[in-house]
Amino acid sequence: LSRGLGDVYKRQAPYIQQHFVLWKEIITMRILVTDGMDKTAMAQLREMGHEVVEQFYEPDQLGKALRDFDVVVVRSKTKVRANHIDEAKGSQLKLIIRGGVGVDNIDVKYAEANGIAVKNTPRASSQSVAELAMGHMFACARYISDAGYTMRNGEWKKKEYGKGIELQGKTLGIVGFGRIGQHLGVMAKAIGMKVVAFDIFHIPGIEEQLGIPYVEMDELLAKSDFISVHAPAVDGGALISAENIAKMKDGVVVINTSRGTNVDEAALLAALESGKVRAAGLDVYADEPATNKALYSHPMVSCTPHIGAATNEAQKRIGQEIVEIIAAM
């Protein structure tokens, strides 16, 4: 009997496969892109038969709008909270995709509890964010940000900015040793820095592979000349707090390209004023757009407006990962 059924299947297989392909081709979805996306990736989704709508919705309009889409793609501007998910319950919404690494602008557990999957693109922007962190390290070491600003104002402060420091030979402490932290560690070692890392999760074999040891947080704080934060937003207070700043070397440089809430901005500003912290490189802020003018306008702060993943290469990779996620649905 099984042999007979097998023969029937072999004869019918081409027809079954043809109808299966046609069935897959007619499954199309409505996809909402709220914060922009690589144009090539959007074209790919449309070629796959999907309807792609590029539109930003204000928070009070977002929940109702989500009901009309199968997939929503967000970056960092759009926040998908529990009230939006409540409004979208029972609708066609199946998936929320965060184009980037962190998903703290989405109430992930609440979405998943209500049958809505949440995905992100963790690999795509790691190199870009790591390179920006390295750029801030150079800017802080050599006064690049403030020197450029004063020159554009017609000032020539050669003497004042003649007290820079080299990165070679200094110790970099990386707080959060995921993909971004690892990329930064490799670059830092390449220019002659010593690198140590702290993370609550230890990746087996990574210390030997990269030649970068894990240390406890207090040891990292005490021995690092530069500290770069690459952890997700944490509960229970800032990683760079007044208490932890007190444990750092005098003249330390602090870099944050992770989440603004990982740094106590008032404590950091006080440390910059006292000289405990030599300089800071910031791409993220507790409030965005940034409102703490005293901090971001400080002469020893190198600041950028949350552009860690904003490179042409990263945007293309993010777009491609989004296409792959949707194609796999």
Side-chain angles (χ1 to χ4, degrees), residues 125-140 167 180 183-184 187 228-230 254-258 280-285 302-311:
S125 58
S126 299
Q127 182 68 25
S128 295
V129 179
E131 288 187 10
L132 181 65
M134 178 63 76
H136 277 301
M137 288 167 61
F138 280 114
C140 289
L167 271 62
I180 298 170
H183 279 291
L184 178 61
M187 286 191 286
S228 192
V229 184
H230 299 283
V254 174
I255 309 295
N256 186 23
T257 57
S258 60
L282 304 175
D283 184 51
V284 290
Y285 309 87
S302 171
C303 53
T304 47
H306 203 152
I307 59 170
T311 63

Side-chain angles (χ1 to χ4, degrees), residues 166-231:
E166 294 180 355
L167 271 62
Q168 184 178 14
K170 303 297 191 298
T171 297
L172 168 64
I174 299 175
V175 180
F177 204 49
R179 291 180 179 89
I180 298 170
Q182 291 166 32
H183 279 291
L184 178 61
V186 169
M187 286 191 286
K189 282 176 64 70
I191 62 169
M193 298 187 81
K194 303 169 187 175
V195 184
V196 295
F198 168 80
D199 201 305
I200 57 174
F201 301 107
H202 286 200
I203 302 170
I206 200 73
E207 293 175 281
E208 295 77 15
Q209 179 184 338
L210 300 182
I212 297 173
Y214 285 108
V215 297
E216 293 302 318
M217 185 67 164
D218 282 355
E219 182 181 348
L220 183 148
L221 295 171
K223 68 172 20 174
S224 298
D225 303 293
F226 290 75
I227 295 174
S228 192
V229 184
H230 299 283

Side-chain angles (χ1 to χ4, degrees), residues 139 142-153 155-157 161 299:
R142 299 300 300 274
Y143 307 98
I144 293 172
S145 180
D146 199 50
Y149 173 78
T150 55
M151 282 193 70
R152 286 188 291 274
N153 283 338
E155 301 175 75
W156 185 262
K157 293 190 174 183
Y161 298 136

Side-chain angles (χ1 to χ4, degrees), residues 89-107:
K89 279 181 186 177
S91 70
Q92 63 196 66
L93 185 64
K94 307 177 187 70
L95 174 65
I96 303 168
I97 303 176
R98 161 74 161 96
V101 180
V103 289
D104 47 292
N105 57 321
I106 302 167
D107 283 346

